[in-house]
């Protein structure tokens, strides 16, 4: 049994994370969001030895174009992929052209396979909100939340006893305030129903780490204009150095290493993707 994640790309130009669940009989591959183009996704899966045909499921946080790229609606049938959407996003998914027979509409969660359960939670984000996930596979617990505007108190009840956390760290507050973005956009991003700042994220990461045994901490959706990975890394290095060895910053242009989720909170050595090493890599 194993659970791994690999952020294929994350940022305002497209978000997509690969999950791999191995249950002794084989591997099950799913994506969280499909906001990269089909071509980008194909290109970033290839070094892992994977193709779109290997993907069985997509879990959708919401339908903004950086999380759901429209050509995917037509590709679902072709590749026999099930799209899991919260009931609040059902109408938007059908309007986007998702065929009804490719949709699985959930309220509180669903079973992804016989060893993997998914619990969902709703966060404030623009008009329809966004969905966070708690994915549990053979006792390994991964919390995933992006585009959530602010951290609601209930998140700390749900993200307890995690072994991996993937959380949005969208912007540096000073860079945002001093940017030449229009005031309405800054308000949308910083007003509680937009995105999380580095400091909001850091506070949540440290609180969740204190009630978990995290083997992986992955930061998502870094703004290219209003963030700087060096700022984030140096803040963790000075304020919480014990978390640095399990910290991974995702970016827009290239996948993270494949990150294994360990039950005991030990960090596994990330395995760089190489051609033709699909199963060996994921099972490492
Ligand atoms: Zn987004």
């Amino acid at each position: 049994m194993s659970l791994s994640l690999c952020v294929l790309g994350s940022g305002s130009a497209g978000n997509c994370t690969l999950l791999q669940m191995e249950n002794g009989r084989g591997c099950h591959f799913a994506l969280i969001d499909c906001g990269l183009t089909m071509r980008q996704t194909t290109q970033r899966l290839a070094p892992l030895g994977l193709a779109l045909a290997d993907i069985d499921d997509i879990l959708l946080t919401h339908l903004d174009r950086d999380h759901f790229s429209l050509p995917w609606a037509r590709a679902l049938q072709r590749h026999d992929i099930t799209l899991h959407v919260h009931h609040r996003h059902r109408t938007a998914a059908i309007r986007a052209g998702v065929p009804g027979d490719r949709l699985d509409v959930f309220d509180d969660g669903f079973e992804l396979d016989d060893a993997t359960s998914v619990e969902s939670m709703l966060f404030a984000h623009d008009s329809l909100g966004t969905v966070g996930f708690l994915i549990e596979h053979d006792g390994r617990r991964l919390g995933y939340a992006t585009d959530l505007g602010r951290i609601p108190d209930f998140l700390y009840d749900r993200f307890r006893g995690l072994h991996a956390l993937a959380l949005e760290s969208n912007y540096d507050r000073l860079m945002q305030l001093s940017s030449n973005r229009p005031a309405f956009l800054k308000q949308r991003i910083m007003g509680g129903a937009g995105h999380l700042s580095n400091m909001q994220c850091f506070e949540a990461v440290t609180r969740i780490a204190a009630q978990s045994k995290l083997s992986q901490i992955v930061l998502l959706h870094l703004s290219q204009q209003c963030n700087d990975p060096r700022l984030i890394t140096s803040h963790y290095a000075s304020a919480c150095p014990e978390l640095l060895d399990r910290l991974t910053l995702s970016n827009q242009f290239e996948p993270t290493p494949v990150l294994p989720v360990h039950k005991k909170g030990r960090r596994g050595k990330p395995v760089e993707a190489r051609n033709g090493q699909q199963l060996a890599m994921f099972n490492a």
Side-chain angles (χ1 to χ4, degrees):
M1 292 276 205
S2 67
L3 170 66
S4 307
L5 74 159
C6 171
V7 181
L8 298 178
S10 184
S12 59
N15 293 272
C16 185
T17 293
L18 174 70
L19 297 178
Q20 181 268 341
M21 292 132 299
E22 194 274 328
N23 66 5
R25 297 190 302 279
C27 286
H28 178 180
F29 298 98
L31 301 178
I32 300 179
D33 287 337
C34 48
L36 299 175
T37 65
M38 310 288 303
R39 185 181 168 152
Q40 284 172 326
T41 310
T42 302
Q43 286 174 342
R44 295 183 194 192
L45 286 172
L48 307 177
L50 296 174
L52 293 180
D54 295 306
I55 305 298
D56 297 313
D57 300 271
I58 299 173
L59 289 58
L60 210 58
T61 62
H62 61 307
L63 279 107
D64 284 356
R65 290 297 162 260
D66 58 324
H67 297 262
F68 183 78
S69 171
L70 282 176
W72 279 91
R74 293 188 300 278
L76 297 170
Q77 215 127 36
R78 197 161 65 242
H79 297 292
D80 196 22
I81 296 171
T82 301
L83 185 75
H84 302 269
V85 300
H86 191 274
H87 79 264
R88 190 184 274 198
H89 297 143
R90 179 179 177 278
T91 304
I94 288 172
R95 279 200 194 120
V98 176
D101 63 347
R102 293 287 97 205
L103 264 187
D104 172 53
V105 180
F106 61 85
D107 282 314
D108 302 321
F110 54 94
E111 300 295 315
L112 197 53
D113 58 41
D114 56 11
T116 313
S117 64
V118 179
E119 288 179 31
S120 67
M121 57 212 81
L122 272 177
F123 302 118
H125 181 69
D126 297 336
S127 57
L128 288 177
T130 188
V131 179
F133 298 109
L134 174 58
I135 295 152
E136 184 157 353
H137 173 80
D138 184 40
R140 295 165 178 84
R141 288 160 62 83
L142 162 66
Y144 192 102
T146 188
D147 299 57
L148 60 164
R150 66 188 171 79
I151 300 278
D153 285 340
F154 71 77
L155 184 100
Y156 295 111
D157 290 330
R158 306 292 293 277
F159 282 5
R160 196 176 279 283
L162 296 187
H163 304 103
L165 171 64
L167 188 64
E168 170 183 42
S169 190
N170 183 258
Y171 65 90
D172 173 75
R173 188 177 155 78
L174 286 180
M175 289 178 75
Q176 182 78 253
L177 289 171
S178 61
S179 73
N180 59 6
R181 290 175 162 179
F184 80 87
L185 181 57
K186 293 181 187 177
Q187 175 59 27
R188 182 196 153 247
I189 291 167
M190 303 173 75
H195 292 281
L196 283 187
S197 72
N198 290 340
M199 281 304 141
Q200 288 172 303
C201 176
F202 177 77
E203 190 187 325
V205 166
T206 50
R207 260 182 85 172
I208 292 165
Q211 59 185 31
S212 297
K213 289 184 176 174
L214 293 177
S215 61
Q216 304 289 353
I217 300 167
V218 185
L219 304 188
L220 302 168
H221 219 306
L222 274 67
S223 166
Q224 285 174 58
Q225 187 185 357
C226 296
N227 212 338
D228 182 340
R230 293 168 298 184
L231 283 176
I232 298 177
T233 308
S234 72
H235 184 72
Y236 278 77
S238 62
C240 215
E242 66 275 21
L243 296 181
L244 258 189
D245 68 341
R246 65 205 79 172
L247 185 69
T248 301
L249 275 59
S250 65
N251 73 68
Q252 191 70 80
F253 305 104
E254 57 181 9
T256 64
V258 174
L259 304 166
V261 179
H262 292 294
K263 277 189 199 174
K264 291 180 181 167
R266 287 174 290 115
R267 177 173 169 82
K269 192 166 173 271
V271 183
E272 297 289 349
R274 284 187 220 103
N275 276 324
Q277 292 202 336
Q278 171 194 340
L279 295 183
M281 173 197 66
F282 275 113
N283 291 330

